[in-house]
Amino acid sequence: MTRRAPEDTDFEHDPRYAVANREALWGVAYWVLFTVVISMVAWLLGGNRRAADLDFVLGFPAWFFWSCLVATVLLSLLPIWLVRRYFTEMSLTSDDDTETEE
């Protein structure tokens, strides 16, 4: 349900709000994906296992190496692609502000 401004106000819709909301949703979706992937990799490789049964990679427990090191590095590259593909560069000042500054 969306709220509408009363007709007697001088509210002017700014299209930057829609862009900012869309980009915020992309950010939240990325955060959820990152959290789920890291947690699932760590749980699948190390959850409910005794310390004697753990595998090691380069001296780290396998769950830590694959979730905290490898997956974090790989998933940290995803925001670069997201920003270049889906985010919009826009001015933070309105046209009215630039006219009054000049």
Side-chain angles (χ1 to χ4, degrees), residues 28-73:
V28 170
Y30 168 75
W31 174 77
V32 168
L33 174 75
F34 186 90
T35 302
V36 167
V37 168
I38 297 299
S39 299
M40 290 305 297
V41 169
W43 178 255
L44 291 173
L45 294 176
N48 284 337
R49 295 180 74 184
R50 296 177 338 151
D53 297 335
L54 291 177
D55 298 325
F56 289 87
V57 178
L58 298 175
F60 295 104
W63 68 267
F64 180 84
F65 179 80
W66 292 109
S67 67
C68 295
L69 299 179
V70 175
T72 299
V73 169

Side-chain angles (χ1 to χ4, degrees), residues 1 7 9-10 18 35-36 39 42 45 60-61 64 66 69 78-79 82 93 96 99:
M1 186 166 121
E7 299 300 325
T9 63
D10 292 333
T35 302
V36 167
S39 299
L45 294 176
F60 295 104
F64 180 84
W66 292 109
L69 299 179
L78 183 61
L82 282 174
T93 59
D96 296 338
E99 291 173 4

